[in-house]
Amino acid sequence: MIKLFSVKDKQKQAAAAAATGKPKQSAGELRLQKDLTELQLPSNININFPEGKEKPMHFEISIKPDEGYYRNGRFLFDFVISTGYPYDAPKVKCKTKVYHPNI
């Protein structure tokens, strides 16, 4: 009987969330939000959400190295995360053209 009542409570909560118009988040979105809150970035790395904080599944990271050959450069990476995260790998694209002798 106890399980029966908990199922009914969950159904009521889901119906209340649907009535408010708030979309249900996928497990990947919840995990990504948790990972982003635990993330500690150094001062030379910035994160930007081009679609706003409401859609964290797409973001850009800007890296500015402070030593080495690429010092004072700025490298922009575009991240697109699927709803199957963490089981599906994120798609990362470097938007900055990089000149490297081994490439």
Short mmCIF file of all heavy atoms in Angstrom, two decimals, residues 44-90:
data_model
loop_
_atom_site.label_atom_id
_atom_site.label_comp_id
_atom_site.label_asym_id
_atom_site.label_seq_id
_atom_site.Cartn_x
_atom_site.Cartn_y
_atom_site.Cartn_z
N ASN A 44 41.81 32.63 -16.23
CA ASN A 44 42.03 32.79 -17.67
C ASN A 44 41.04 31.99 -18.53
O ASN A 44 41.17 31.92 -19.73
CB ASN A 44 43.46 32.42 -18.04
CG ASN A 44 43.79 30.98 -17.72
OD1 ASN A 44 43.12 30.33 -16.93
ND2 ASN A 44 44.85 30.48 -18.33
N ILE A 45 40.02 31.40 -17.90
CA ILE A 45 39.00 30.64 -18.63
C ILE A 45 37.63 31.23 -18.31
O ILE A 45 37.27 31.41 -17.15
CB ILE A 45 39.03 29.14 -18.27
CG1 ILE A 45 40.38 28.56 -18.67
CG2 ILE A 45 37.90 28.40 -18.94
CD1 ILE A 45 40.56 27.12 -18.29
N ASN A 46 36.86 31.54 -19.36
CA ASN A 46 35.51 32.10 -19.20
C ASN A 46 34.50 31.17 -19.86
O ASN A 46 34.78 30.57 -20.89
CB ASN A 46 35.40 33.48 -19.85
CG ASN A 46 36.30 34.49 -19.18
OD1 ASN A 46 36.48 34.47 -17.98
ND2 ASN A 46 36.89 35.37 -19.97
N ILE A 47 33.30 31.10 -19.27
CA ILE A 47 32.22 30.30 -19.83
C ILE A 47 31.08 31.24 -20.18
O ILE A 47 30.78 32.17 -19.44
CB ILE A 47 31.79 29.18 -18.86
CG1 ILE A 47 30.82 28.24 -19.53
CG2 ILE A 47 31.22 29.73 -17.59
CD1 ILE A 47 30.62 26.94 -18.78
N ASN A 48 30.47 31.01 -21.36
CA ASN A 48 29.40 31.86 -21.85
C ASN A 48 28.26 30.98 -22.35
O ASN A 48 28.49 29.99 -23.03
CB ASN A 48 29.93 32.74 -22.99
CG ASN A 48 28.88 33.64 -23.55
OD1 ASN A 48 27.96 34.06 -22.87
ND2 ASN A 48 29.01 33.95 -24.83
N PHE A 49 27.03 31.34 -22.00
CA PHE A 49 25.85 30.61 -22.46
C PHE A 49 25.13 31.48 -23.50
O PHE A 49 24.39 32.38 -23.14
CB PHE A 49 24.90 30.30 -21.29
CG PHE A 49 25.52 29.39 -20.27
CD1 PHE A 49 26.18 29.88 -19.17
CD2 PHE A 49 25.43 28.02 -20.44
CE1 PHE A 49 26.75 29.04 -18.24
CE2 PHE A 49 25.99 27.16 -19.52
CZ PHE A 49 26.66 27.67 -18.41
N PRO A 50 25.35 31.21 -24.81
CA PRO A 50 24.75 32.07 -25.84
C PRO A 50 23.23 32.01 -25.89
O PRO A 50 22.59 32.97 -26.31
CB PRO A 50 25.37 31.57 -27.14
CG PRO A 50 25.87 30.21 -26.86
CD PRO A 50 26.15 30.16 -25.39
N GLU A 51 22.63 30.90 -25.47
CA GLU A 51 21.17 30.78 -25.49
C GLU A 51 20.55 31.10 -24.14
O GLU A 51 19.36 30.90 -23.93
CB GLU A 51 20.78 29.36 -25.91
CG GLU A 51 21.23 29.02 -27.31
CD GLU A 51 20.92 27.59 -27.68
OE1 GLU A 51 20.27 26.89 -26.91
OE2 GLU A 51 21.35 27.18 -28.77
N GLY A 52 21.35 31.60 -23.21
CA GLY A 52 20.86 31.95 -21.89
C GLY A 52 21.07 30.82 -20.90
O GLY A 52 21.32 29.68 -21.27
N LYS A 53 20.97 31.14 -19.62
CA LYS A 53 21.17 30.15 -18.56
C LYS A 53 20.07 29.10 -18.53
O LYS A 53 20.22 28.06 -17.91
CB LYS A 53 21.25 30.85 -17.20
CG LYS A 53 22.46 31.71 -17.02
CD LYS A 53 23.55 30.91 -16.41
CE LYS A 53 24.72 31.82 -16.08
NZ LYS A 53 25.80 31.13 -15.47
N GLU A 54 18.93 29.36 -19.18
CA GLU A 54 17.83 28.40 -19.18
C GLU A 54 18.17 27.17 -20.02
O GLU A 54 17.57 26.12 -19.84
CB GLU A 54 16.54 29.03 -19.73
CG GLU A 54 16.07 30.27 -19.01
CD GLU A 54 16.75 31.52 -19.54
OE1 GLU A 54 16.94 31.65 -20.76
OE2 GLU A 54 17.11 32.36 -18.71
N LYS A 55 19.09 27.33 -20.97
CA LYS A 55 19.48 26.22 -21.84
C LYS A 55 20.97 25.94 -21.66
O LYS A 55 21.80 26.40 -22.45
CB LYS A 55 19.18 26.55 -23.30
CG LYS A 55 17.70 26.73 -23.57
CD LYS A 55 17.43 26.90 -25.02
CE LYS A 55 15.95 27.03 -25.25
NZ LYS A 55 15.63 27.12 -26.66
N PRO A 56 21.32 25.19 -20.61
CA PRO A 56 22.74 24.96 -20.35
C PRO A 56 23.38 23.89 -21.23
O PRO A 56 24.57 23.64 -21.10
CB PRO A 56 22.73 24.49 -18.89
CG PRO A 56 21.43 23.79 -18.73
CD PRO A 56 20.47 24.58 -19.60
N MET A 57 22.64 23.29 -22.14
CA MET A 57 23.18 22.20 -22.96
C MET A 57 24.04 22.72 -24.12
O MET A 57 24.62 21.93 -24.85
CB MET A 57 22.04 21.34 -23.51
CG MET A 57 21.16 20.72 -22.44
SD MET A 57 22.04 19.66 -21.30
CE MET A 57 21.93 18.12 -22.16
N HIS A 58 24.13 24.02 -24.28
CA HIS A 58 24.98 24.63 -25.30
C HIS A 58 25.71 25.79 -24.65
O HIS A 58 25.10 26.71 -24.12
CB HIS A 58 24.14 25.12 -26.49
CG HIS A 58 24.95 25.80 -27.53
ND1 HIS A 58 24.71 27.09 -27.93
CD2 HIS A 58 26.01 25.38 -28.25
CE1 HIS A 58 25.59 27.43 -28.85
NE2 HIS A 58 26.39 26.40 -29.06
N PHE A 59 27.05 25.73 -24.67
CA PHE A 59 27.82 26.82 -24.09
C PHE A 59 29.16 26.94 -24.80
O PHE A 59 29.55 26.06 -25.56
CB PHE A 59 28.01 26.64 -22.57
CG PHE A 59 28.68 25.36 -22.16
CD1 PHE A 59 30.04 25.28 -22.02
CD2 PHE A 59 27.92 24.23 -21.91
CE1 PHE A 59 30.65 24.10 -21.63
CE2 PHE A 59 28.51 23.05 -21.51
CZ PHE A 59 29.88 22.98 -21.37
N GLU A 60 29.82 28.06 -24.55
CA GLU A 60 31.12 28.34 -25.16
C GLU A 60 32.13 28.60 -24.05
O GLU A 60 31.80 29.21 -23.04
CB GLU A 60 31.05 29.56 -26.06
CG GLU A 60 30.14 29.39 -27.24
CD GLU A 60 29.98 30.66 -28.06
OE1 GLU A 60 30.33 31.74 -27.56
OE2 GLU A 60 29.51 30.54 -29.19
N ILE A 61 33.34 28.12 -24.26
CA ILE A 61 34.42 28.35 -23.30
C ILE A 61 35.53 29.09 -24.03
O ILE A 61 35.93 28.71 -25.13
CB ILE A 61 34.93 27.03 -22.71
CG1 ILE A 61 33.87 26.46 -21.78
CG2 ILE A 61 36.24 27.24 -21.98
CD1 ILE A 61 34.28 25.22 -21.05
N SER A 62 36.02 30.15 -23.41
CA SER A 62 37.11 30.95 -23.94
C SER A 62 38.34 30.73 -23.06
O SER A 62 38.27 30.92 -21.85
CB SER A 62 36.71 32.42 -23.95
OG SER A 62 37.81 33.22 -24.30
N ILE A 63 39.45 30.35 -23.67
CA ILE A 63 40.69 30.08 -22.94
C ILE A 63 41.75 31.08 -23.40
O ILE A 63 41.98 31.23 -24.60
CB ILE A 63 41.18 28.64 -23.19
CG1 ILE A 63 40.12 27.65 -22.73
CG2 ILE A 63 42.50 28.39 -22.47
CD1 ILE A 63 40.44 26.22 -23.05
N LYS A 64 42.39 31.74 -22.45
CA LYS A 64 43.47 32.68 -22.73
C LYS A 64 44.73 32.20 -22.01
O LYS A 64 44.90 32.46 -20.83
CB LYS A 64 43.11 34.08 -22.24
CG LYS A 64 41.90 34.67 -22.93
CD LYS A 64 41.54 36.01 -22.35
CE LYS A 64 40.26 36.50 -22.95
NZ LYS A 64 39.80 37.74 -22.34
N PRO A 65 45.61 31.47 -22.71
CA PRO A 65 46.83 30.98 -22.06
C PRO A 65 47.71 32.14 -21.58
O PRO A 65 47.82 33.17 -22.24
CB PRO A 65 47.54 30.19 -23.15
CG PRO A 65 46.51 29.92 -24.18
CD PRO A 65 45.52 31.03 -24.09
N ASP A 66 48.34 31.95 -20.42
CA ASP A 66 49.20 33.01 -19.89
C ASP A 66 50.68 32.65 -19.96
O ASP A 66 51.52 33.39 -19.47
CB ASP A 66 48.80 33.35 -18.45
CG ASP A 66 48.70 32.13 -17.55
OD1 ASP A 66 48.95 31.02 -18.03
OD2 ASP A 66 48.38 32.32 -16.37
N GLU A 67 51.00 31.53 -20.59
CA GLU A 67 52.40 31.17 -20.80
C GLU A 67 52.51 30.28 -22.04
O GLU A 67 51.52 29.76 -22.54
CB GLU A 67 52.97 30.46 -19.58
CG GLU A 67 52.26 29.19 -19.21
CD GLU A 67 52.79 28.60 -17.93
OE1 GLU A 67 53.14 29.33 -17.01
OE2 GLU A 67 52.83 27.36 -17.88
N GLY A 68 53.73 30.14 -22.56
CA GLY A 68 53.96 29.30 -23.73
C GLY A 68 53.85 30.06 -25.03
O GLY A 68 53.74 31.29 -25.07
N TYR A 69 53.87 29.32 -26.13
CA TYR A 69 53.81 29.92 -27.47
C TYR A 69 52.51 30.66 -27.73
O TYR A 69 52.47 31.62 -28.49
CB TYR A 69 54.00 28.86 -28.55
CG TYR A 69 55.39 28.31 -28.62
CD1 TYR A 69 55.63 26.98 -28.33
CD2 TYR A 69 56.45 29.11 -29.00
CE1 TYR A 69 56.92 26.46 -28.40
CE2 TYR A 69 57.74 28.62 -29.06
CZ TYR A 69 57.96 27.28 -28.76
OH TYR A 69 59.23 26.79 -28.83
N TYR A 70 51.44 30.20 -27.15
CA TYR A 70 50.13 30.78 -27.42
C TYR A 70 49.72 31.82 -26.37
O TYR A 70 48.56 32.16 -26.25
CB TYR A 70 49.08 29.67 -27.52
CG TYR A 70 49.40 28.72 -28.64
CD1 TYR A 70 49.90 27.45 -28.39
CD2 TYR A 70 49.22 29.11 -29.96
CE1 TYR A 70 50.19 26.60 -29.44
CE2 TYR A 70 49.51 28.26 -31.00
CZ TYR A 70 50.01 27.00 -30.74
OH TYR A 70 50.31 26.16 -31.77
N ARG A 71 50.69 32.35 -25.63
CA ARG A 71 50.43 33.38 -24.61
C ARG A 71 49.76 34.58 -25.28
O ARG A 71 50.06 34.93 -26.41
CB ARG A 71 51.76 33.80 -23.97
CG ARG A 71 51.62 34.89 -22.95
CD ARG A 71 52.96 35.30 -22.35
NE ARG A 71 54.02 35.38 -23.36
CZ ARG A 71 55.18 34.75 -23.25
NH1 ARG A 71 55.44 34.00 -22.21
NH2 ARG A 71 56.08 34.87 -24.19
N ASN A 72 48.81 35.17 -24.58
CA ASN A 72 48.03 36.33 -25.02
C ASN A 72 47.09 35.99 -26.19
O ASN A 72 46.51 36.89 -26.78
CB ASN A 72 48.93 37.51 -25.41
CG ASN A 72 49.76 37.98 -24.24
OD1 ASN A 72 49.32 37.92 -23.09
ND2 ASN A 72 50.98 38.41 -24.51
N GLY A 73 46.96 34.73 -26.52
CA GLY A 73 46.00 34.31 -27.53
C GLY A 73 44.64 34.07 -26.87
O GLY A 73 44.51 34.03 -25.65
N ARG A 74 43.63 33.90 -27.69
CA ARG A 74 42.28 33.62 -27.18
C ARG A 74 41.69 32.51 -28.04
O ARG A 74 41.62 32.65 -29.26
CB ARG A 74 41.41 34.86 -27.25
CG ARG A 74 40.03 34.66 -26.69
CD ARG A 74 39.27 36.00 -26.68
NE ARG A 74 37.91 35.79 -26.30
CZ ARG A 74 36.89 35.65 -27.15
NH1 ARG A 74 37.10 35.73 -28.44
NH2 ARG A 74 35.69 35.44 -26.71
N PHE A 75 41.29 31.43 -27.40
CA PHE A 75 40.77 30.27 -28.12
C PHE A 75 39.35 30.01 -27.65
O PHE A 75 39.08 29.89 -26.46
CB PHE A 75 41.66 29.05 -27.88
CG PHE A 75 43.08 29.30 -28.31
CD1 PHE A 75 44.04 29.71 -27.40
CD2 PHE A 75 43.44 29.17 -29.64
CE1 PHE A 75 45.33 29.96 -27.80
CE2 PHE A 75 44.73 29.41 -30.05
CZ PHE A 75 45.69 29.82 -29.13
N LEU A 76 38.45 29.90 -28.61
CA LEU A 76 37.04 29.75 -28.32
C LEU A 76 36.59 28.34 -28.71
O LEU A 76 36.83 27.89 -29.83
CB LEU A 76 36.22 30.78 -29.10
CG LEU A 76 34.75 30.88 -28.79
CD1 LEU A 76 34.53 31.33 -27.35
CD2 LEU A 76 34.08 31.85 -29.73
N PHE A 77 35.95 27.64 -27.76
CA PHE A 77 35.44 26.29 -27.98
C PHE A 77 33.94 26.29 -27.79
O PHE A 77 33.42 26.87 -26.84
CB PHE A 77 36.08 25.30 -27.00
CG PHE A 77 37.55 25.13 -27.20
CD1 PHE A 77 38.46 25.95 -26.54
CD2 PHE A 77 38.03 24.16 -28.06
CE1 PHE A 77 39.81 25.79 -26.72
CE2 PHE A 77 39.40 24.00 -28.25
CZ PHE A 77 40.29 24.82 -27.58
N ASP A 78 33.24 25.61 -28.69
CA ASP A 78 31.78 25.51 -28.65
C ASP A 78 31.40 24.10 -28.19
O ASP A 78 31.84 23.11 -28.79
CB ASP A 78 31.21 25.80 -30.05
CG ASP A 78 29.71 25.83 -30.06
OD1 ASP A 78 29.14 26.52 -29.20
OD2 ASP A 78 29.11 25.18 -30.93
N PHE A 79 30.60 24.00 -27.13
CA PHE A 79 30.18 22.72 -26.57
C PHE A 79 28.68 22.52 -26.80
O PHE A 79 27.89 23.41 -26.48
CB PHE A 79 30.43 22.67 -25.06
CG PHE A 79 31.87 22.50 -24.68
CD1 PHE A 79 32.75 23.56 -24.78
CD2 PHE A 79 32.33 21.29 -24.22
CE1 PHE A 79 34.08 23.41 -24.43
CE2 PHE A 79 33.65 21.13 -23.86
CZ PHE A 79 34.52 22.18 -23.96
N VAL A 80 28.30 21.37 -27.34
CA VAL A 80 26.90 20.99 -27.47
C VAL A 80 26.76 19.64 -26.78
O VAL A 80 27.41 18.67 -27.16
CB VAL A 80 26.47 20.90 -28.95
CG1 VAL A 80 25.03 20.43 -29.05
CG2 VAL A 80 26.65 22.24 -29.64
N ILE A 81 25.91 19.59 -25.76
CA ILE A 81 25.75 18.40 -24.95
C ILE A 81 24.39 17.78 -25.26
O ILE A 81 23.38 18.48 -25.26
CB ILE A 81 25.83 18.76 -23.46
CG1 ILE A 81 27.02 19.65 -23.22
CG2 ILE A 81 25.76 17.53 -22.60
CD1 ILE A 81 28.13 19.23 -22.43
N SER A 82 24.35 16.48 -25.51
CA SER A 82 23.09 15.80 -25.81
C SER A 82 22.36 15.47 -24.51
O SER A 82 22.93 15.52 -23.42
CB SER A 82 23.36 14.52 -26.61
OG SER A 82 24.02 13.58 -25.80
N THR A 83 21.11 15.09 -24.63
CA THR A 83 20.31 14.76 -23.45
C THR A 83 20.75 13.43 -22.84
O THR A 83 20.38 13.13 -21.72
CB THR A 83 18.81 14.70 -23.79
OG1 THR A 83 18.63 13.78 -24.85
CG2 THR A 83 18.30 16.06 -24.18
N GLY A 84 21.55 12.65 -23.55
CA GLY A 84 22.07 11.40 -23.03
C GLY A 84 23.32 11.55 -22.19
O GLY A 84 23.94 10.56 -21.82
N TYR A 85 23.72 12.78 -21.89
CA TYR A 85 24.89 13.04 -21.06
C TYR A 85 24.69 12.40 -19.71
O TYR A 85 23.60 12.43 -19.19
CB TYR A 85 25.08 14.56 -20.92
CG TYR A 85 26.20 14.97 -20.01
CD1 TYR A 85 27.51 14.93 -20.46
CD2 TYR A 85 25.96 15.40 -18.72
CE1 TYR A 85 28.54 15.30 -19.62
CE2 TYR A 85 26.99 15.78 -17.89
CZ TYR A 85 28.28 15.72 -18.34
OH TYR A 85 29.30 16.09 -17.53
N PRO A 86 25.63 11.78 -19.10
CA PRO A 86 27.06 11.62 -19.36
C PRO A 86 27.42 10.40 -20.18
O PRO A 86 28.59 10.11 -20.38
CB PRO A 86 27.64 11.52 -17.95
CG PRO A 86 26.61 10.80 -17.17
CD PRO A 86 25.30 11.30 -17.75
N TYR A 87 26.43 9.65 -20.66
CA TYR A 87 26.72 8.44 -21.43
C TYR A 87 27.09 8.75 -22.86
O TYR A 87 27.85 8.00 -23.47
CB TYR A 87 25.53 7.48 -21.37
CG TYR A 87 25.17 7.13 -19.95
CD1 TYR A 87 24.03 7.64 -19.35
CD2 TYR A 87 26.01 6.34 -19.19
CE1 TYR A 87 23.73 7.33 -18.04
CE2 TYR A 87 25.72 6.03 -17.87
CZ TYR A 87 24.57 6.53 -17.30
OH TYR A 87 24.27 6.24 -16.01
N ASP A 88 26.56 9.82 -23.41
CA ASP A 88 26.93 10.27 -24.75
C ASP A 88 27.94 11.40 -24.61
O ASP A 88 27.77 12.30 -23.79
CB ASP A 88 25.71 10.78 -25.51
CG ASP A 88 24.69 9.68 -25.76
OD1 ASP A 88 25.09 8.50 -25.81
OD2 ASP A 88 23.50 10.02 -25.92
N ALA A 89 28.98 11.35 -25.41
CA ALA A 89 30.04 12.37 -25.33
C ALA A 89 29.55 13.71 -25.86
O ALA A 89 28.76 13.76 -26.81
CB ALA A 89 31.25 11.92 -26.13
N PRO A 90 30.00 14.83 -25.26
CA PRO A 90 29.65 16.14 -25.79
C PRO A 90 30.38 16.40 -27.11
O PRO A 90 31.44 15.85 -27.36
CB PRO A 90 30.11 17.11 -24.71
CG PRO A 90 31.06 16.37 -23.88
CD PRO A 90 30.78 14.92 -24.04
#
